[in-house]
Amino acid sequence: MYLLSGFIVLLGGIAKLVLCCVLVYLFISLVSRKGFKRVLQKHEIIEIMVWTGLILLSLLLIVQQLWFVLTPVVILMVAMRNLQRNNLKFKAMLGEDK
């Protein structure tokens, strides 16, 4: 009986997380379209969502002083920044070839 209750709670939590992610995705798309007159692609919106999540998580970890958990978050941020820089270089190379 407890296993079934736990499964239902887990399923509800996952559904709530998915709903929040979809709402944030649509909100970012709407704000970029209406406020900044720029249509973002899917990967750009997801990148904004990930960066926002990482920044909020790192602020929470700093406030709680959990430094051993903050280290992987910072490493992930550095890796994402390097990936972003490489993507910009790749787009520039493709733009020069055309």
Side-chain angles (χ1 to χ4, degrees):
M1 187 66 174
Y2 292 116
L3 184 64
L4 182 62
S5 299
F7 181 70
I8 292 172
V9 168
L10 182 67
L11 194 60
I14 291 172
K16 188 167 88 171
L17 181 68
V18 168
L19 178 67
C20 288
C21 286
V22 169
L23 289 175
V24 168
Y25 181 88
L26 293 174
F27 179 71
I28 291 173
S29 175
L30 180 74
V31 167
S32 69
R33 220 176 330 120
K34 299 288 183 182
F36 299 110
K37 307 286 190 257
R38 182 164 185 246
V39 178
L40 295 176
Q41 295 179 359
K42 281 189 234 180
H43 65 87
E44 293 172 331
I45 295 173
I46 293 172
E47 185 178 355
I48 291 170
M49 290 171 60
V50 170
W51 272 108
T52 305
L54 284 175
I55 290 170
L56 291 175
L57 180 64
S58 63
L59 289 175
L60 178 72
L61 293 173
I62 289 171
V63 167
Q64 293 181 352
Q65 296 182 356
L66 295 172
W67 308 115
F68 60 94
V69 182
L70 183 63
T71 307
V73 173
V74 171
I75 291 172
L76 183 60
M77 285 180 170
V78 170
M80 282 186 57
R81 181 63 190 139
N82 289 338
L83 179 66
Q84 189 179 35
R85 192 176 305 144
N86 289 338
N87 284 343
L88 288 174
K89 287 179 185 176
F90 186 68
K91 283 181 185 178
M93 283 183 359
L94 288 178
E96 292 174 1
D97 292 339
K98 291 181 180 180

